[in-house]
């Protein structure tokens, strides 16, 4: 499902990863900084994974406008520190990053059997 991401308060580094089978940019990422002051949005089309790192000390309020209805049964993710994808996260020291228990369980992209829209 596609999503439009924006930030109501705070600042994030927002990332999309292409997982479209056969895409010349499969496994590549693109990142942008979003914050409340600039009111910039980031469109993430269907076939891309999404993740972000909060880079403001006060936290961030992130909102999504989605192209479909959320279905938790279809949700999956990848290791945010997958070395093959190699996202250049702004906060490098993993000991200073809070990662959800769910996200800690994700595998690398190469280990997933993807059933994604081409």
């Amino acid at each position: 499902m596609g999503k439009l991401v924006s930030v109501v308060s705070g600042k994030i580094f927002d990332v999309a990863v292409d997982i479209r089978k056969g895409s010349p940019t499969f496994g590549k990422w693109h990142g942008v900084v979003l914050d409340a002051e600039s009111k910039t949005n980031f469109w993430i089309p269907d076939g891309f994974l999404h993740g972000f790192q909060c880079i403001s000390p006060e936290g961030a309020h992130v909102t999504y406008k989605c192209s479909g209805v959320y279905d938790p049964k279809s949700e999956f993710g990848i290791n945010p520190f997958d070395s093959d994808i190699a996202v250049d996260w702004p906060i490098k020291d993993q000991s200073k990053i809070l990662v959800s228990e769910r996200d800690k369980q994700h595998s690398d992209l190469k280990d997933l059997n993807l059933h994604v829209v081409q």
Side-chain angles (χ1 to χ4, degrees):
M1 146 174 50
K3 61 184 80 161
L4 184 66
V5 183
S6 58
V7 173
V8 176
S9 65
K11 183 186 285 190
I12 65 170
F13 181 69
D14 205 24
V15 173
V17 178
D18 185 356
I19 60 165
R20 298 170 297 166
K21 288 183 180 179
S23 169
T25 57
F26 178 86
K28 304 295 183 201
W29 65 273
H30 178 76
V32 298
V33 173
L34 301 177
D35 62 34
E37 290 180 20
S38 69
K39 295 180 175 46
T40 304
N41 298 306
F42 185 31
W43 171 248
I44 301 173
D46 194 24
F48 286 73
L49 294 176
H50 171 249
F52 66 88
Q53 190 176 72
C54 180
I55 54 176
S56 53
E58 72 277 9
H61 182 156
V62 180
T63 63
Y64 304 88
K65 291 185 180 184
C66 300
S67 62
V69 177
Y70 172 71
D71 177 7
K73 290 182 266 178
S74 68
E75 187 175 271
F76 68 97
I78 59 169
N79 172 6
F81 307 108
D82 183 330
S83 60
D84 289 337
I85 297 172
V87 173
D88 187 15
W89 296 108
I91 302 172
K92 310 279 188 236
D93 185 349
Q94 291 186 31
S95 69
K96 295 183 179 185
I97 302 170
L98 294 175
V99 179
S100 71
E101 288 303 314
R102 182 192 68 175
D103 288 353
K104 288 178 184 176
Q105 305 305 313
H106 293 321
S107 300
D108 289 345
L109 181 60
K110 67 182 176 194
D111 298 326
L112 294 179
N113 181 17
L114 294 176
H115 302 285
V116 295
V117 177
Q118 295 188 20

